[in-house]
């Protein structure tokens, strides 16, 4: 097969290097092969046929890790380091490379191949990477029977990453029992915020399965709505509750009814209206924006608040967008009039700036 031909080429290049050649043929072969599609076959060949003596293999790994700038060659060298025992201690460089997103998967698996504890290793790595490395580490961590420390981290921070939370949300939900965790959530801000972020990831089902594929999705939405309703009020938290209510309507009557009841309990609170007014006048633009989102979600007029935002921050885009979005002609004329009053001609030509 093509993969085995790539492995043959890699081994030939490795032998040539060990006989005094350069690393370039090995780097080129690694790039052409692609580490992800070749690594398992390469490791299997090395373990089964011993095409390279351990000392020679260690020399190749050391050379690649010390000298190469070719990512695919480095990935294969990290994977091969996991097979080596005695001699050179590769653990420090494996732990260093494990917290580089590009190399997390290869270095992490190599550490486990060398006998590292799976849960502790993947948790330590996941806490220090934020891109694809975190995605890989979270999936590997969730494959373990995690203890309380790892479970709490997964629920509070695990779904956050710089790629897309949806890539890990369903795995976390299925492995950590977030519904049980919701019992403590109203008094635990970090946990409640984390569960809210997990909900958002589950709802982003464009690239992968999420809420609709989780058999406990309806119960989670209902329980999350109730936990949010019991927690201290904030504009951001109320927005999450209102989104959960919308999601619950797609997951069955029982879930929808519980979420609606949770929303009604918040709206009936004596501090709701004063809190809403306070959020709309808050010094923080994000809080004011969240408060206007609450108004729209409750089918209340937010247009005047958008015009107030224009007066407060005329060079920020959000007030202009909210004032103009879906507006009738008289309202659009008002937007244009405020733009002429606040913005220089060059700004009018390109839109409000941030």
């Amino acid at each position: 097969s093509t993969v085995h031909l790539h492995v043959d080429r890699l081994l030939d290049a490795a032998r040539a290097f060990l006989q005094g050649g350069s690393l370039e043929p090995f780097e080129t072969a690694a790039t052409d092969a692609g580490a992800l599609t070749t690594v398992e076959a390469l490791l299997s060949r090395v373990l089964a046929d011993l095409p390279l003596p351990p000392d020679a293999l260690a020399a190749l790994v050391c050379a690649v890790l010390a000298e190469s700038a070719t990512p695919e060659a480095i990935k294969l060298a990290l994977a091969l380091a996991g097979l080596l025992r005695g001699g050179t201690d590769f653990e420090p460089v494996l732990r260093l490379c494990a917290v580089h997103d590009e190399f997390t998967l290869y270095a992490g698996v190599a550490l486990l191949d060398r006998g590292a504890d799976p849960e502790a290793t993947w948790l330590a790595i996941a806490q220090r990477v934020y891109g694809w490395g975190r995605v890989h580490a979270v999936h590997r961590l969730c494959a373990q029977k995690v203890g309380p420390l790892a479970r709490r981290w997964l629920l509070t921070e695990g779904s956050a990453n710089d790629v897309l939370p949806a890539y890990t949300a369903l795995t976390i939900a299925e492995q950590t029992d977030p519904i049980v965790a919701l019992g403590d959530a109203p008094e635990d801000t970090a946990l409640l915020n984390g569960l809210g972020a997990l909900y958002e990831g589950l709802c982003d089902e464009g690239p992968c399965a999420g809420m609709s594929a989780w058999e406990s999705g309806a119960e989670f939405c209902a329980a999350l709505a109730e936990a949010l309703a019991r927690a201290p009020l904030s504009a951001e938290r109320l927005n999450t509750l209102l989104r959960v209510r919308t999601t619950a309507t797609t997951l069955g009557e029982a879930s929808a009814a519980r979420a609606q009841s949770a929303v009604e309990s918040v709206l009936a609170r004596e501090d709701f209206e004063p809190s809403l007014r306070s959020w709309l006048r808050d010094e923080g633009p994000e809080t004011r924006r969240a408060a206007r989102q609450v108004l729209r979600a409750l089918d209340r007029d937010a247009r005047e608040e958008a015009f107030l935002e224009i007066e407060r921050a005329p060079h920020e885009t959000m007030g202009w967008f909210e004032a103009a979005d879906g507006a009738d002609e008289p309202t659009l004329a008002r937007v244009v009039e405020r733009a002429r009053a606040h913005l220089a001609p060059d700004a009018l030509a390109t839109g409000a700036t941030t």
Side-chain angles (χ1 to χ4, degrees):
S1 70
T2 302
V3 171
H4 289 99
L5 291 174
H6 281 306
V7 171
D8 289 339
R9 183 182 170 197
L10 284 163
L11 291 172
D12 288 342
R15 294 188 190 97
F17 165 74
L18 293 167
Q19 292 170 3
S22 76
L23 273 178
E24 185 176 353
F26 183 83
E27 294 171 329
T28 301
T31 300
D32 292 345
L36 190 61
T37 57
T38 310
V39 63
E40 293 295 337
L42 177 62
L43 296 182
S44 296
R45 178 80 70 84
V46 170
L47 286 171
D49 299 340
L50 298 177
L52 297 174
D55 289 349
L57 188 61
L60 172 69
V61 170
C62 286
V64 173
L65 295 180
E67 301 173 24
S68 180
T70 303
E72 299 305 300
I74 295 171
K75 292 172 187 177
L76 292 177
L78 291 169
L80 290 168
L83 304 181
L84 296 169
R85 302 291 186 273
T88 303
D89 182 9
F90 288 105
E91 183 167 336
V93 72
L94 287 173
R95 292 196 177 277
L96 177 64
C97 290
V99 295
H100 186 300
D101 283 289
E102 182 81 10
F103 306 121
T104 295
L105 181 60
Y106 302 89
V109 171
L111 284 166
L112 267 61
D113 288 342
R114 294 172 60 86
D117 175 76
E119 179 185 346
T121 298
W122 287 120
L123 176 59
I125 293 171
Q127 291 173 324
R128 296 183 61 192
V129 288
Y130 301 94
W132 280 109
R134 176 167 287 193
V135 174
H136 290 307
V138 165
H139 278 287
R140 296 281 175 155
L141 179 59
C142 286
Q144 316 302 317
K145 186 176 181 180
V146 297
L149 182 65
R151 180 172 178 268
R152 177 175 174 81
W153 182 83
L154 285 167
L155 289 171
T156 55
E157 300 182 50
S159 63
N161 62 65
D162 292 339
V163 184
L164 200 66
Y167 285 135
T168 57
L170 183 59
T171 298
I172 293 171
E174 291 178 332
Q175 299 300 321
T176 59
D177 202 353
I179 295 171
V180 171
L182 279 166
D184 299 324
E187 293 78 34
D188 188 332
T189 299
L191 181 58
L192 188 58
N193 290 344
L195 290 167
L198 179 63
Y199 157 78
E200 300 289 355
L202 287 166
C203 288
D204 185 5
E205 299 195 75
C208 52
M211 188 74 76
S212 63
W214 184 27
E215 63 180 13
S216 300
E219 175 62 23
F220 174 69
C221 280
L224 177 59
E226 291 164 350
L228 289 165
R230 296 194 305 272
L233 274 179
S234 75
E236 294 78 5
R237 196 166 287 150
L238 183 51
N239 267 315
T240 301
L241 172 56
L242 293 168
R243 289 194 295 273
V244 172
R245 179 183 65 173
T246 300
T247 303
T249 62
T250 69
L251 299 174
E253 292 183 4
S255 179
R258 288 171 61 186
Q260 177 62 27
S261 178
V263 170
E264 290 173 356
S265 72
V266 171
L267 301 185
R269 287 167 54 163
E270 290 184 358
D271 61 342
F272 168 67
E273 290 293 342
S275 295
L276 180 57
R277 290 193 294 272
S278 174
W279 301 334
L280 289 167
R281 302 295 171 260
D282 194 88
E283 289 299 316
E286 291 303 317
T287 298
R288 296 195 302 272
R289 179 185 177 187
R292 296 193 299 274
Q293 289 174 331
V294 169
L295 289 176
R296 289 192 294 273
L298 295 175
D299 294 324
R300 292 169 60 169
D301 181 26
R303 190 88 59 185
E304 287 305 314
E305 292 296 333
F307 278 105
L308 288 174
E309 188 67 20
I310 289 173
E311 300 303 315
R312 185 166 191 163
H315 292 280
E316 299 293 333
T317 59
M318 193 50 62
W320 296 100
F321 174 79
E322 293 177 10
D325 186 37
D328 56 21
E329 288 192 14
T331 303
L332 286 175
R334 185 180 171 192
V335 172
V336 171
E337 183 273 326
R338 299 321 301 151
R340 287 175 173 152
H342 283 296
L343 302 176
D346 59 339
L348 284 172
T350 58
T353 58
T354 55

